[in-house]
Amino acid sequence: MATPAPTSTKVDVIIVGAGISGLTAARELLGAGIESVVVLEATDRTGGRIYSRALGSHLVDMGAQWVEGKVGNPLYEIAEQHGLLKTNQVSEEDEYELFYTADGRRLPDSNVDGALALGESLLAELRSAPTDAYASVGEFFRKRFTEETERLRLSDKVKRRYLGIYRWSRLAENIDCGCSSMDELDVGGYLRFDTLAGDPYDNNLQTTFSDLLRVIEDDVPDTKILLNKPVSKIRLNEEGNASPVTVQTADGATYEANHVIVSVSLGCLKEKAAEMFEPSLPTYKLKTINRLAFGTMNKIFLQFDEPFWDDDVDGLMFVPEETSEALLLTSDLADLADVWHKAINGFYVSAQHPNVLEGSLAGRAAEYMETLDDRTVTDMCVRQLRLHLKDHNVPEPVRMVRSAWHGNPYARGSYSYIPTGASAQDTDELATPVPSAAVPRLLFTGEATHPTLYSTAHGAYLAGRREAKRIVEFQK
């Protein structure tokens, strides 16, 4: 008996990906009265790079975690309206970070503050510099920080401390951007990023980012979201066809629609765009996907029976050695076995769980960590804490969990950045509909498509809203 051909499901709009951008687009379309919407999600859960995981009886955010900025941030407004923000936010004056060298010396606060203030003043200088004056963000800071430490006539000891904090700041920036080195960052793209007013680290959530996402998802009926539906092909038919776009999923199902919103990560586009779309995406868009960078930042959570640090300590920071960055940039991935941990710039105390430390690392070292087993990662973290604190009594954690975003086939990294060789214009081109803005059949959303808020959850949210509005306006 012949197997019947699979039937096609016809809808107005298909959304590929149930991360915050895709869910926001669905929510906005439904709110505008466009009811024929389906969200196809490749995995067994919604959220994408918003993912909360158990650590004992706690939940910790493996992906998006901070509500970054208050002014102009719709996620801050949602969190505030729904009582999701912590009501007892701790001020910077009440907590502080301790900075330790690899030989167990704590740097004086005055030197730390001075070096960090110098970095902030140089950032202000960069904002007024011509974007083509330096080959990269890293080149600017390397040149100017060295020059300024000479101009300040610091003693040799203080100068070494300043340069140590400068190296720590480079690691911190790598983590913020997902890159292996600030030398990878394009000046123009870096300066286009819009840091919203309001310290992001003061905007802690009471629980997890998944609770914030749930507010958005609650406005999208469960029947509109189909899980375990990885998309294998998106076909743009000739204009005038009764179904302008056809989507096929890995299980053989076919969906037809007037519009498809592609809400997958830039990492997935880099891996699959050349084969996923038929006909092929325009050359300009494929080149844009190739030029933009998609970095990896991974987290490590260590849970202890009780804190071994003082109550007013916010973080235990590791000052990198002079050779650390060069070692991390080795061309052979296998050579990272003995140095990957040098990409960890310290551990912060979890805002929600006072007996949990959270460390981060980025770039190729973060990718390499994913190849290691849990015991190896835990042992190295404890070893680094004991080394920098010069305290062999630092206890073993009772639990450890970590993220692995690069190996996730439906993420292939954490968030986007604009590297040298690309430009801020690339984010605009990534967001351009196909075949055109006038006839938007294939639309693109996600954090990587936001021109000034790329890499952020609120950028992804706003991009989803943008593409939903584009469809609503087209259909008027």
Side-chain angles (χ1 to χ4, degrees):
M1 184 175 179
T3 303
T7 58
S8 259
T9 301
K10 293 188 177 183
V11 294
D12 194 357
V13 182
I14 296 169
I15 299 171
V16 181
I20 189 171
S21 202
L23 291 173
T24 298
R27 180 197 199 203
E28 295 292 316
L29 289 168
L30 294 168
I34 298 177
E35 294 286 339
S36 183
V37 175
V38 65
V39 182
L40 302 177
E41 167 55 41
T43 72
D44 60 0
R45 64 172 181 84
T46 59
R49 285 165 278 161
I50 296 174
Y51 173 46
S52 304
R53 179 177 171 183
L55 177 65
S57 60
H58 303 319
L59 285 175
V60 291
D61 283 316
M62 309 305 284
Q65 179 174 358
W66 305 103
V67 179
E68 299 181 52
K70 301 178 182 180
V71 181
N73 187 339
L75 296 185
Y76 178 85
E77 296 169 8
I78 291 172
E80 187 175 44
Q81 289 166 5
H82 289 81
L84 299 178
L85 294 170
K86 287 189 73 173
T87 55
N88 57 336
Q89 305 283 3
V90 179
S91 68
E92 291 184 4
E93 291 74 23
D94 296 329
E95 289 187 335
Y96 58 97
E97 298 155 3
L98 308 179
F99 286 77
Y100 295 92
T101 62
D103 58 0
R105 290 179 293 112
R106 180 187 164 191
L107 297 191
D109 292 342
S110 59
N111 293 163
V112 173
D113 294 343
L116 293 176
L118 175 55
E120 287 296 321
S121 69
L122 292 178
L123 177 58
E125 177 185 315
L126 178 62
R127 293 190 186 283
S128 60
T131 57
D132 59 353
Y134 296 91
S136 69
V137 175
E139 181 188 74
F140 167 82
F141 278 103
R142 182 185 299 107
K143 181 176 186 295
R144 292 293 296 116
F145 201 95
T146 302
E147 290 174 347
E148 285 301 293
T149 53
E150 293 292 345
R151 185 187 64 80
L152 291 171
R153 299 184 181 279
L154 304 170
S155 69
D156 288 345
K157 180 185 289 186
V158 173
K159 181 180 176 181
R160 285 195 300 271
R161 291 169 179 168
Y162 268 54
L163 290 173
I165 295 301
Y166 159 70
R167 293 192 295 272
W168 177 89
S169 298
R170 285 180 71 97
L171 278 186
E173 197 63 35
N174 293 352
I175 290 166
D176 282 348
C177 297
C179 60
S180 295
S181 169
M182 288 175 70
D183 292 337
E184 299 171 4
L185 301 176
D186 174 70
V187 174
Y190 183 81
L191 295 180
R192 196 182 188 191
F193 183 84
D194 186 8
T195 301
L196 303 183
D199 187 346
Y201 304 110
D202 286 344
N203 304 335
N204 292 319
L205 298 171
Q206 291 190 48
T207 52
T208 66
F209 217 95
S210 296
D211 289 332
L212 198 161
L213 177 72
R214 198 165 295 115
V215 174
I216 298 166
E217 188 176 350
D218 282 348
D219 290 334
V220 182
D222 292 343
T223 55
K224 302 289 186 182
I225 304 171
L226 304 183
L227 301 178
N228 298 304
K229 284 283 187 178
V231 168
S232 55
K233 185 69 69 176
I234 300 174
R235 184 175 297 107
L236 180 62
N237 302 315
E238 290 185 8
E239 197 62 30
N241 191 301
S243 299
V245 193
T246 303
V247 173
Q248 292 178 329
T249 53
D251 59 4
T254 300
Y255 300 82
E256 299 176 355
N258 293 315
H259 310 273
V260 171
I261 299 178
V262 180
S263 183
V264 303
S265 74
L266 175 61
C268 285
L269 286 177
K270 283 179 169 291
E271 183 174 81
K272 301 173 182 176
E275 292 80 29
M276 178 181 286
F277 297 91
E278 187 179 303
S280 179
L281 290 174
T283 301
Y284 82 86
K285 191 172 286 286
L286 290 174
K287 287 183 176 179
T288 288
I289 290 169
N290 185 58
R291 280 193 299 266
L292 289 171
F294 196 65
T296 297
M297 187 279 281
N298 278 323
K299 301 178 183 179
I300 306 168
F301 292 91
L302 304 174
Q303 182 183 27
F304 296 87
D305 277 326
E306 58 184 21
F308 59 84
W309 52 90
D310 293 337
D311 291 344
D312 55 357
V313 170
D314 181 50
L316 306 168
M317 302 293 102
F318 302 161
V319 178
E321 298 160 290
E322 190 172 348
T323 59
S324 291
E325 183 168 347
L327 290 171
L328 288 167
L329 293 176
T330 178
S331 58
D332 186 352
L333 196 65
D335 288 344
L336 291 173
D338 297 325
V339 298
W340 67 270
H341 60 275
K342 294 180 182 292
I344 304 171
N345 71 338
F347 286 86
Y348 287 94
V349 180
S350 168
Q352 290 83 10
H353 314 300
N355 62 329
V356 173
L357 292 180
E358 176 185 345
S360 304
L361 70 168
R364 296 171 71 251
E367 296 174 18
Y368 180 80
M369 183 193 71
E370 296 183 17
T371 69
L372 304 174
D373 59 57
D374 285 355
R375 186 69 262 169
T376 299
V377 173
T378 301
D379 287 347
M380 182 56 77
C381 291
V382 172
R383 187 183 310 167
Q384 293 307 306
L385 284 164
R386 290 173 177 171
L387 178 72
H388 286 80
L389 273 60
K390 214 170 187 176
D391 182 0
H392 293 293
N393 294 319
V394 169
E396 290 279 339
V398 293
R399 293 181 187 85
M400 185 278 291
V401 296
R402 52 177 168 147
S403 60
W405 290 111
H406 184 261
N408 184 322
Y410 300 110
R412 292 302 186 206
S414 305
Y415 34 72
S416 64
Y417 64 93
I418 301 176
T420 57
S423 71
Q425 182 182 347
D426 284 312
T427 57
D428 298 327
E429 293 187 347
L430 184 60
T432 301
V434 174
S436 67
V439 186
R441 297 302 180 189
L442 299 181
L443 303 92
F444 295 82
T445 188
E447 51 83 13
T449 72
H450 198 288
T452 61
L453 297 172
Y454 55 86
S455 81
T456 69
H458 53 286
Y461 174 93
L462 289 168
R465 204 158 68 178
R466 177 196 68 214
E467 296 311 309
K469 181 180 179 182
R470 199 191 299 270
I471 291 174
V472 172
E473 293 295 321
F474 177 77
Q475 293 193 357
K476 278 185 178 179

